[in-house]
Amino acid sequence: MKASQQVGIGTTGGTLLSIVGQWGVHDMLRTALLAAIGAVVSFAVTWLMQRLWQRRR
């Protein structure tokens, strides 16, 4: 591995760990819950639009 790759990996890892260290467990759970709700809503809307589109054809 080249030195420039090691520096990039180290910088990225340090940045991610510093962000995670500032978050509390409550924030992580809230983020995970909101992401799950967003995924379910996105799936439902896509499914509904596909059904409506098929009926119009």
Side-chain angles (χ1 to χ4, degrees):
M1 190 178 304
K2 294 181 182 178
S4 61
Q5 288 177 327
Q6 289 177 342
V7 170
I9 292 171
T11 303
T12 303
T15 302
L16 291 175
L17 287 175
S18 68
I19 290 171
V20 169
Q22 292 178 1
W23 283 351
V25 174
H26 183 267
D27 291 332
M28 288 187 198
L29 291 175
R30 182 175 57 187
T31 301
L33 178 64
L34 290 174
I37 291 171
V40 169
V41 169
S42 176
F43 176 80
V45 169
T46 302
W47 179 77
L48 182 63
M49 290 178 71
Q50 285 178 347
R51 301 252 344 220
L52 291 173
W53 183 259
Q54 287 177 357
R55 286 186 182 177
R56 290 185 182 229
R57 283 186 164 193

